[in-house]
Amino acid sequence: MAVLVALGAFLMTLAGGWTAQRVTDRRHLVLGLAGGLMLGVVGLDLLPEALRAAGHEVGGVPAALLLFVTGFLLAHLVERTLAARQAAHGGGEHGHRTPEVGLAAAGAMVGHSFMDGVAIGAAFQVGGGMVASVALAVIAHDFADGFNTFTLTSLYGNARRRAVGMLVADACAPVLGALSTAFVHIPAPALGGYLGLFGGVLLYLAAAEILPEAHHEHPARSTLLCTVSGVLFVWLVVGLSG
């Protein structure tokens, strides 16, 4: 049953990526929506869950928040390092964006989707009302994951073939994650730490890359409306699954 629910996440992820491909003529709207979805996932889903799972403190600060800041700084460091390396070799054909950053960001989305599958499997182990809640949350927000995976890969100048490949990997990840729970149990503190770190990476990409790009050429109200809609969509998903 856990794998069957994960197959629902598989289909929703592909649907999100397909949607991102079909609206390329409204690129600024796509990026505005993607930024809103990422912001909503971080602030309303990942970070609260990370704080609940990794409850202990380090130096008076919740460990999940420390890892959140670490993830933000790590994403910034990786991007600056790769950008400097590309500039040193005369790169810049993609508007000073490095394709490796897009692939790394999409890879992080794949890892997150794998953990979604783990959450589905763990919910079936716990039983009760937890199953419906987790399944609804994962299937609903995997649409956003697929949308963001394709958008992130393409934004950094990767070919469509690579973007589709990362989308397929992201769609398969929850199925593999659900299967893995038959053999491996992940402690709650470790899961909370991972969510905090991943949340910091996503926030950096949304705030420093996606949203500025969305408003660069089209600083329109419609773009802002798409961003707000993305946040509200995640809020709705979190509320329904709570």
Side-chain angles (χ1 to χ4, degrees):
M1 286 300 297
V3 174
L4 289 177
V5 173
L7 286 174
F10 171 87
L11 295 175
M12 287 298 290
T13 302
L14 291 180
W18 180 85
T19 301
Q21 295 180 61
R22 300 295 294 180
V23 292
T24 51
D25 56 330
R26 294 289 185 270
R27 184 170 178 269
H28 59 292
L29 299 180
V30 172
L31 293 176
L33 180 61
L37 290 171
M38 292 168 72
L39 179 59
V41 166
V42 171
L44 306 179
D45 187 15
L46 293 183
L47 201 51
E49 184 61 32
L51 289 170
R52 283 193 294 266
H56 66 283
E57 296 186 351
V58 178
V61 178
L65 289 182
L66 288 175
L67 287 168
F68 176 78
V69 174
T70 300
F72 188 97
L73 294 175
L74 182 63
H76 178 63
L77 176 63
V78 169
E79 187 192 32
R80 290 297 89 204
T81 300
L82 290 175
R85 183 178 302 172
Q86 184 187 44
H89 289 83
E93 65 274 16
H94 301 300
H96 304 293
R97 296 187 182 277
T98 53
E100 294 85 354
V101 173
L103 291 176
M109 295 297 298
V110 173
H112 177 58
S113 294
F114 180 86
M115 297 306 297
D116 282 345
V118 171
I120 293 174
F124 272 90
Q125 293 177 5
V126 173
M130 180 67 70
V131 173
S133 176
V134 171
L136 175 63
V138 169
I139 291 176
H141 98 252
D142 269 8
F143 178 88
D145 285 351
F147 190 98
N148 289 335
T149 297
F150 186 88
T151 301
L152 281 169
T153 310
S154 302
L155 176 65
Y156 284 85
N158 288 285
R160 183 177 181 277
R161 173 177 53 84
R162 285 188 174 181
V164 171
M166 295 305 297
L167 174 63
V168 171
D170 189 45
C172 293
V175 180
L176 297 176
L179 285 171
S180 73
T181 57
F183 311 100
V184 178
H185 173 71
I186 300 178
L191 179 59
Y194 160 78
L195 292 176
L197 186 72
F198 179 66
V201 172
L202 273 193
L203 181 63
Y204 176 81
L205 293 173
E209 298 293 329
I210 303 296
L211 291 177
E213 180 72 13
H215 292 274
H216 176 61
E217 295 181 0
H218 298 274
R221 292 181 180 178
S222 57
T223 306
L224 179 59
L225 181 61
C226 284
T227 302
V228 175
S229 298
V231 175
L232 293 177
F233 173 77
V234 176
W235 187 14
L236 176 63
V237 170
V238 172
L240 289 175
S241 61

